[in-house]
């Protein structure tokens, strides 16, 4: 979708870049993240309302410092530099960046020394979050200082003639209480961006876009029952009706009773064309003896495509394949050649094998997870689908560490069903962003009915998050964890020990593989 009203965020490697995007989307303004070295001609073509330079770990003087095309400052487009971004402004406009005597990491008191449009609505002194070792030592030409902190005498600058601003602190983090106000002052006040990025407008625009792209051709959609694929399926069905055929491939690695639930929702409730394929034997056979997580992902992804290809042939000529790719998938799977690196492959990103003569349709690739849920509400999806926790495409295949067998899958399905059931029963499910069970390749000694046992260890994982880019472990009450553990050990044969994962992302990832 081509946007004529959006903010461009250039990424210089900050761990908070995605948070900048989230804050702007929360204002109902569309924005996109691009690498710092995006070609200048591409920026001109995009015609953003404003440009934000993210923070980053580099020094502007280092040999491999990420430096954008300086012509962006001559476009007449408002620019806001954050942290490393303000140092770039200083370097570009003949100021001087120095190494601070005392590095600032954490909370600081910002003293606003001059009236500025980006500080409208703020008090003279505000708490902000700093994370820097370098700072502006000499004012860049054409700029005026507008704020300072104890360790940064020039903590914010502005050039009113060019509408260019720089702030040394991070407005996007929750530790800067008035940070959203600062960003809104720039995005809405300075850039005059319209606040029209809503789920209703998105659905209307995307339906038109799909109809224009598809015409009278056929589309197939991989339906898993998760939020992303469900929203895609219903959106496409609303746009093109019976031109859409959904294919539900049971790879044998789904949660318990998954196929039954999908049938209930989509075949009965929405009257959609859904083909159900039980390919569990095929997947398990190809995964036999495989322990490497990346190999598992690739085998599952490739086999999924093969099953799709075979099923699609029965439908005659099909021109498009729809996927539930989300914006974090796109961000995390793109290497920005320096600031950002690929963490792991995503099953939804990377295109299609050449033998599949279909084009991709990814109507949600601009959305974060919570935005996809809002679109689901707009389309009338039931709450149990919309608020379902994210579930990985490779399914339980990456929650069984080590080799995968049918017996292990059944054990994990039963244990996971108990876990989710208890979370829902106690009201914890709604408080958690994602929960799942992990079967470990570890056996431990236990005692059951006066007999010694030597069985598997199960790890429970639950995190709180906004969009999965960062996550903290969920603080589930001990008594609830105790009941879950007790039920699993007593009801699921093959597990005699349950542990709880208290790792955050970063440094850990949400999934174990």
């Amino acid at each position: 979708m081509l946007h004529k009203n959006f903010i461009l965020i250039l990424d210089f490697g900050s761990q908070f870049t995605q948070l900048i995007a989230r804050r702007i989307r929360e204002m109902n303004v569309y924005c996109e993240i691009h690498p710092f070295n995006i070609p200048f001609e591409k920026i001109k073509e995009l015609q953003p309302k404003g440009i934000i330079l993210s923070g980053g770990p580099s020094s502007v003087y280092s040999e491999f410092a990420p430096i954008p095309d300086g012509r962006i400052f001559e476009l007449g487009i408002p620019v806001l530099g954050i942290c490393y971004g303000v140092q770039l402004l200083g370097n570009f406009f003949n100021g001087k960046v120095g190494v601070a005597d005392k590095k600032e990491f954490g909370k600081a008191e910002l003293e606003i020394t001059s009236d500025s449009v980006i500080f409208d609505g703020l008090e003279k002194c505000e708490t902000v979050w700093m994370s820097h070792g370098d700072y502006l030592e000499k004012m860049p030409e054409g700029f005026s200082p507008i704020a300072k902190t104890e360790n940064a005498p020039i903590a914010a600058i502005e050039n009113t003639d060019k509408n260019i601003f720089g702030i040394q602190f991070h407005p996007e983090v929750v530790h800067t209480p008035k940070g959203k106000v600062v960003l809104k002052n720039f995005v809405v006040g300075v850039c005059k961006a319209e606040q029209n990025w809503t789920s209703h407008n998105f659905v209307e625009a995307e339906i038109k876009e799909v109809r224009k792209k598809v015409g009278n051709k056929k589309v197939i959609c991989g339906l898993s029952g998760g939020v992303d694929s469900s929203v895609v399926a219903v959106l496409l069905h609303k746009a093109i009706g019976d031109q859409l055929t959904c294919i539900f491939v049971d790879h044998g690695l789904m949660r318990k009773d998954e196929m039954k639930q999908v049938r209930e929702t989509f075949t009965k409730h929405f009257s959609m064309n859904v083909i159900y394929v039980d390919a569990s034997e095929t997947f398990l056979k190809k995964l036999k003896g495989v322990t490497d997580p990346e190999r598992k992902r690739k085998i599952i992804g490739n086999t999924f495509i093969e099953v799709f290809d075979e099923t699609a042939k029965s439908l005659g000529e099909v021109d498009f394949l729809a996927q539930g790719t989300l914006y974090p998938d796109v961000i995390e799977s793109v290497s920005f050649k320096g600031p950002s690196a690929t963490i792991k492959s995503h099953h939804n990103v990377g295109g299609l094998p050449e033998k599949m003569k279909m084009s991709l349709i990814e109507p949600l690739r601009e959305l974060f997870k919570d935005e996809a849920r809002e679109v689901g509400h707009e389309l009338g999806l039931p709450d149990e689908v919309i608020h379902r926790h994210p579930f990985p495409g490779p399914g339980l295949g990456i929650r069984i560490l080590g080799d995968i067998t049918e017996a292990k899958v059944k054990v994990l399905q039963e244990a996971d069903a108990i876990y989710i059931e208890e979370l829902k029963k106690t009201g914890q499910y709604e408080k958690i962003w994602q929960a799942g069970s992990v079967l470990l390749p570890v056996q431990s000694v236990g005692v059951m009915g006066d007999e010694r046992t030597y069985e598997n260890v199960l790890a429970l994982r639950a995190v709180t998050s906004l969009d999965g880019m960062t996550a903290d472990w969920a603080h589930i009450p001990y008594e609830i964890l105790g009941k879950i553990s007790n039920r699993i050990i007593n009801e699921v044969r093959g597990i005699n020990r349950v542990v709880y994962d208290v790792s955050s992302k970063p440094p850990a990832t949400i999934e174990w593989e």
Side-chain angles (χ1 to χ4, degrees):
M1 194 187 301
L2 181 62
H3 296 276
K4 296 180 180 178
N5 178 72
F6 89 104
I7 301 296
L8 172 64
I9 301 167
L10 297 185
D11 179 24
F12 294 88
S14 170
Q15 60 181 315
F16 303 131
T17 302
Q18 289 80 24
L19 276 179
I20 301 172
R22 287 298 308 119
R23 297 294 173 255
I24 295 172
R25 296 281 184 94
E26 287 166 7
M27 301 172 204
N28 298 120
V29 175
Y30 182 71
C31 62
E32 287 181 4
I33 298 170
H34 286 269
F36 71 91
N37 54 3
I38 178 177
F40 177 68
E41 292 304 320
K42 180 65 175 176
I43 294 176
K44 285 175 65 179
E45 180 188 323
L46 290 170
Q47 297 182 319
K49 287 279 191 179
I51 298 172
I52 293 179
L53 313 177
S54 83
S58 302
S59 165
V60 291
Y61 295 130
S62 71
E63 183 182 354
F64 302 106
I67 306 292
D69 192 312
R71 289 177 290 177
I72 64 173
F73 303 119
E74 307 301 326
L75 286 171
I77 297 172
V79 176
L80 172 65
I82 296 174
C83 197
Y84 176 78
V86 74
Q87 294 158 26
L88 279 171
L89 295 177
N91 194 46
F92 184 81
F93 288 98
N94 300 315
K96 184 180 179 184
V97 177
V99 178
D101 293 332
K102 293 182 180 179
K103 298 180 188 295
E104 276 190 309
F105 294 101
K107 289 183 179 179
E109 291 304 310
L110 182 79
E111 182 184 343
I112 297 171
T113 57
S114 179
D115 289 340
S116 171
V117 63
I118 64 167
F119 290 151
D120 281 353
L122 271 65
E123 302 295 329
K124 185 176 174 61
C125 286
E126 293 282 357
T127 299
V128 297
W129 185 264
M130 291 285 201
S131 179
H132 69 100
D134 293 352
Y135 73 108
L136 277 179
E137 197 171 70
K138 175 190 169 188
M139 283 296 301
E141 294 174 4
F143 286 78
S144 303
I146 54 176
K148 64 181 180 180
T149 68
E150 185 179 352
N151 293 324
I154 306 172
I157 58 174
E158 69 175 3
N159 182 323
T160 52
D161 291 336
K162 289 181 175 289
N163 263 343
I164 299 177
F165 304 83
I167 51 179
Q168 187 63 69
F169 60 92
H170 287 276
E172 67 273 26
V173 301
V174 294
H175 308 293
T176 301
K178 296 284 184 66
K180 287 184 182 180
V181 177
V182 174
L183 285 173
K184 189 172 182 181
N185 286 338
F186 175 73
V187 170
V188 180
V190 176
C191 301
K192 308 299 180 188
E194 296 175 26
Q195 294 173 275
N196 58 6
W197 177 250
T198 65
S199 56
H200 178 75
N201 290 347
F202 174 84
V203 169
E204 285 196 336
E206 200 59 43
I207 285 174
K208 288 178 184 175
E209 188 80 14
V210 168
R211 285 174 179 165
K212 180 181 174 183
K213 185 173 184 177
V214 172
N216 60 0
K217 295 175 181 176
K218 291 181 180 180
V219 181
I220 56 174
C221 173
L223 187 59
S224 69
V227 179
D228 310 338
S229 68
S230 298
V231 173
V232 167
V234 177
L235 177 63
L236 289 175
H237 187 249
K238 189 163 181 145
I240 57 174
D242 288 344
Q243 288 170 248
L244 171 71
T245 300
C246 293
I247 299 175
F248 179 91
V249 177
D250 183 356
H251 49 31
L253 303 166
M254 298 288 186
R255 279 179 163 160
K256 187 179 178 182
D257 295 330
E258 197 83 45
M259 187 180 287
K260 180 182 175 184
Q261 292 163 7
V262 170
R263 281 184 191 272
E264 188 69 32
T265 300
F266 297 95
T267 306
K268 293 183 180 179
H269 185 71
F270 284 102
S271 301
M272 292 167 59
N273 296 328
V274 183
I275 297 173
Y276 298 92
V277 184
D278 183 355
S280 52
E281 283 187 23
T282 302
F283 279 85
L284 289 172
K285 185 178 179 182
K286 290 193 175 187
L287 287 165
K288 187 176 181 180
V290 177
T291 58
D292 179 73
E294 276 298 295
R295 276 196 67 206
K296 285 182 187 177
R297 287 177 179 272
K298 284 183 168 57
I299 288 169
I300 293 168
N302 291 337
T303 306
F304 184 84
I305 293 294
E306 287 170 11
V307 173
F308 241 83
D309 195 27
E310 189 178 330
T311 307
K313 286 175 183 175
S314 67
L315 301 173
E317 188 176 341
V318 177
D319 299 277
F320 297 96
L321 171 66
Q323 288 191 159
T325 307
L326 293 181
Y327 200 37
D329 298 338
V330 176
I331 295 169
E332 203 168 276
S333 294
V334 174
S335 172
F336 287 169
K337 298 179 182 176
S340 300
T342 300
I343 307 298
K344 61 188 176 187
S345 63
H346 270 272
H347 60 281
N348 272 351
V349 180
L352 294 168
E354 288 183 12
K355 67 177 183 177
M356 289 194 76
K357 308 298 182 185
M358 289 185 279
S359 301
L360 271 181
I361 291 184
E362 298 172 303
L364 308 184
R365 69 179 287 119
E366 298 172 341
L367 304 185
F368 286 95
K369 193 78 176 189
D370 57 320
E371 293 175 315
R373 286 195 168 103
E374 289 170 13
V375 169
H377 274 296
E378 182 72 25
L379 292 166
L381 270 163
D383 282 351
E384 58 265 28
V385 174
I386 293 171
H387 296 295
R388 185 188 183 208
H389 289 175
F391 188 64
L396 301 180
I398 56 168
R399 291 183 178 175
I400 297 172
L401 273 56
D403 68 316
I404 300 169
T405 65
E406 187 177 358
K408 288 181 181 178
V409 172
K410 286 182 179 177
V411 166
L412 186 53
Q413 283 177 333
E414 292 299 327
D416 191 67
I418 291 170
Y419 182 30
I420 300 302
E421 180 188 324
E422 287 297 328
L423 290 179
K424 288 181 177 179
K425 196 186 295 182
T426 55
Q428 292 295 311
Y429 190 83
E430 293 78 11
K431 300 175 184 177
I432 293 167
W433 192 78
Q434 183 172 352
S437 308
V438 184
L439 192 63
L440 306 184
V442 174
Q443 291 186 310
S444 72
V445 176
V447 178
M448 290 183 180
D450 295 328
E451 290 185 8
R452 181 181 182 277
T453 63
Y454 193 59
E455 294 178 333
N456 289 95
V457 178
L458 182 85
L460 302 179
R461 180 71 161 142
V463 298
T464 55
S465 179
L466 182 63
D467 49 42
M469 302 305 293
T470 61
D472 192 15
W473 60 276
H475 293 231
I476 300 173
Y478 293 150
E479 58 271 20
I480 296 174
L481 285 173
K483 185 175 181 183
I484 292 167
S485 172
N486 190 52
R487 278 197 62 192
I488 290 172
I489 291 170
N490 281 305
E491 296 176 32
V492 183
R493 190 170 182 181
I495 296 172
N496 68 353
R497 191 178 298 270
V498 174
V499 298
Y500 187 58
D501 183 349
V502 292
S503 313
S504 296
K505 176 186 179 181
T509 52
I510 295 174
E511 297 293 342
W512 281 43
E513 290 192 340

